[in-house]
């Protein structure tokens, strides 16, 4: 199987590539060729026994999509995007990357005779906009209130249409907000959800720009990779014409996030969170959904964490090398926090 990851320099793309390199498989099927693409050349750690190609390319530029699919990859993971805050600030860039790039990819696939690859499209909860019910069902209509959400909603509709026509075999994944994201903050409006946990766990101050009553839908980077692995080889016949699904996750308030941080790392970590209300971010977040009924995705075999404590444990294990205890006790706080105050592991 030949897998192409577009957006491989991003956090999810990098982790997916490293997972494939580690296991040699995706969704239980052997990967013999791996192509990694981004606007900057992806730097992915880990070896890979098969053929590996790394490319710097902008999908939205003329002719690029056609060159990328010329070798007919079996699975195309389309993660490339301008994230929410940046897409709202730069209208032209958001539509060029998020919409024009996606259409260019689908059209390039359509132009190749007898070529029907599995296309995994990274969508977003931003396709939903207020007013909506407290728990959004699978069949709820798309009413985005941001440019990013609009661009992703159009991409979802195109994925449905090209799949209906038999031009590709699409699976659209509406990712929860991925938390805790490793590394440095990106330009996503949702970045603070990770920051208020990641920074304190690393002994740094974090800024909280919204009220603690804000509720949102979350999953870990490990779950994000798992969604794609499952989507790569699942039986899509039962999806029918509706190819896009909201992924399972955890609904939690900011206060519940902070409580999970306190349980894990104590008051010393929580004390590093500085409240600094930001009206712009508050306005964007106010239009975001809070909870979902993901029965369809669960029935299809997608899985995620069941509590925010589990999400923090994934970060401690995957990014800080601190595995959670096997006896179910709270994971051990990082050493610098235990040094700062008495925190019982």
């Amino acid at each position: 199987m030949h897998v192409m990851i577009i957006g491989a320099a991003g956090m999810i793309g990098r982790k997916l590539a490293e997972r494939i390199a580690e296991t040699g498989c995706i969704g239980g099927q052997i990967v013999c060729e791996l192509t990694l693409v981004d606007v900057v050349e992806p730097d992915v750690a880990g070896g890979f026994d098969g053929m590996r190609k790394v490319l710097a390319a902008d999908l939205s530029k003329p002719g690029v999509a056609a060159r990328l699919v010329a070798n007919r990859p079996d699975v195309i993971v389309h993660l490339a995007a301008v994230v929410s805050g940046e897409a709202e600030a730069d209208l032209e860039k958001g539509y060029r990357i998020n919409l024009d790039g996606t259409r260019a990819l689908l059209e390039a696939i359509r132009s190749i005779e007898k070529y029907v690859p599995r296309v995994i499209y990274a969508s977003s909860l931003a396709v939903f906009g207020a007013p909506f019910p407290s728990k959004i069902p699978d069949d709820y209509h798309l009413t985005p209130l941001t440019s990013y959400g609009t661009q992703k909603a159009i991409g979802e509709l195109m994925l449905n249409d090209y799949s209906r026509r038999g031009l590709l075999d699409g699976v659209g994944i509406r990712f929860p907000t991925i938390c805790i994201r490793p590394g440095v903050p990106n330009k996503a409006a949702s970045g603070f959800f990770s920051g208020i946990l990641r920074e304190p766990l690393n002994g740094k101050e974090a800024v909280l720009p919204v009220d603690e009553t804000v509720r949102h839908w979350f999953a870990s980077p490990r779950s994000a990779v798992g969604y794609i692995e499952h989507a790569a080889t699942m039986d899509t016949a039962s999806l029918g014409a509706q190819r896009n699904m909201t992924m399972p996750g955890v609904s939690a308030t900011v206060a519940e996030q902070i409580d999970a941080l306190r349980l894990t790392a104590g008051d010393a970590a929580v004390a590093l969170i500085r409240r600094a209300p930001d009206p712009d971010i508050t306005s964007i977040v106010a239009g975001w959904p809070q909870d979902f009924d993901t029965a369809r995705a669960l029935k299809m075999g997608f899985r995620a964490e069941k509590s925010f404590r589990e999400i923090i444990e994934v970060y401690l294990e995957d990014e800080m090398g601190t595995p959670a205890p096997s006896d179910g006790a709270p994971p051990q706080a990082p050493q610098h926090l235990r040094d700062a105050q008495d925190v019982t592991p």
Side-chain angles (χ1 to χ4, degrees):
M1 175 183 287
H2 177 188
V3 175
M4 174 181 288
I5 304 172
I6 304 173
M11 184 269 293
I12 296 175
R14 175 178 54 81
K15 284 185 172 290
L16 175 62
E18 290 173 354
R19 174 70 175 166
I20 293 172
E22 176 188 355
T23 64
C25 300
I26 188 169
Q29 292 195 21
I30 295 173
V31 177
C32 59
E33 186 172 353
L34 181 61
T35 302
L36 308 177
V37 184
D38 214 312
V39 290
V40 295
E41 189 170 296
D43 181 16
V44 178
F48 178 64
D49 291 337
M51 183 185 300
R52 182 166 110 168
K53 184 182 296 184
V54 180
L55 302 171
D58 183 342
L59 187 64
S60 67
K61 291 186 176 180
V64 170
R67 290 197 298 272
L68 292 180
V69 301
N71 288 334
R72 303 166 69 103
D74 302 290
V75 175
I76 300 172
V77 183
H78 181 23
L79 297 167
V82 171
V83 292
S84 54
E86 189 176 4
E88 195 65 19
D90 190 335
L91 182 69
E92 190 280 329
K93 184 177 182 180
Y95 272 94
R96 178 172 58 82
I97 301 297
N98 295 340
L99 179 56
D100 297 345
T102 297
R103 187 179 181 196
L105 175 64
L106 302 188
E107 281 294 290
I109 293 168
R110 183 174 75 91
S111 70
I112 301 177
E113 188 176 355
K114 297 181 180 179
Y115 175 49
V116 185
R118 173 70 52 89
V119 175
I120 301 170
Y121 174 65
S123 189
S124 167
L125 305 182
V127 299
F128 300 109
F132 35 60
S134 58
K135 188 183 283 285
I136 297 176
D138 283 323
D139 58 356
Y140 198 72
H141 55 279
L142 308 185
T143 51
L145 293 176
T146 63
S147 296
Y148 177 71
T150 300
Q151 292 148 15
K152 287 299 183 181
I154 296 170
E156 286 195 10
L157 294 173
M158 289 195 297
L159 190 77
N160 282 343
D161 193 39
Y162 281 64
S163 296
R164 177 185 65 83
R165 289 176 170 272
L167 302 171
L168 53 86
D169 186 11
V171 181
I173 294 176
R174 295 186 196 116
F175 284 98
T177 287
I178 300 304
C179 188
I180 303 167
R181 300 180 69 95
V184 298
N186 64 15
K187 294 183 180 181
S190 60
F192 71 88
F193 285 122
S194 285
I196 61 172
L197 303 170
R198 178 186 60 238
E199 269 44 82
L201 286 170
N202 288 279
K204 300 177 182 178
E205 182 183 77
V207 174
L208 175 59
V210 302
D211 191 85
E212 291 186 17
T213 60
V214 168
R215 177 178 291 278
H216 198 48
W217 188 247
F218 303 97
S220 74
R222 186 188 294 175
S223 287
V225 171
Y227 303 148
I228 298 171
E229 288 185 295
H230 182 63
T233 57
M234 66 179 288
D235 182 358
T236 58
S238 56
L239 289 178
Q242 302 304 321
R243 293 299 181 118
N244 302 279
M245 294 170 284
T246 303
M247 293 293 101
V250 175
S251 178
T253 64
V254 170
E256 289 167 342
Q257 285 186 273
I258 294 172
D259 286 344
L261 177 64
R262 180 178 286 109
L263 176 64
T264 304
D267 291 334
V270 174
L272 291 168
I273 300 173
R274 176 170 61 86
R275 277 71 175 172
D278 184 320
D280 292 334
I281 293 180
T282 297
S283 176
I284 292 174
V285 173
W288 288 352
Q290 303 176 358
D291 198 1
F292 291 88
D293 178 354
T294 59
R296 186 172 182 235
L298 289 168
K299 183 178 179 181
M300 297 291 177
F302 292 94
R303 296 291 180 265
E305 293 78 21
K306 292 181 168 46
S307 71
F308 215 95
R309 176 179 157 184
E310 288 183 62
I311 290 175
I312 293 180
E313 289 175 357
V314 167
Y315 179 80
L316 290 175
E317 184 171 352
D318 290 357
E319 307 302 332
M320 301 188 76
T322 307
S326 58
D327 61 3
Q332 189 175 26
Q335 184 65 48
H336 62 269
L337 293 172
R338 301 205 307 276
D339 291 341
Q341 73 173 50
D342 291 331
V343 178
T344 303

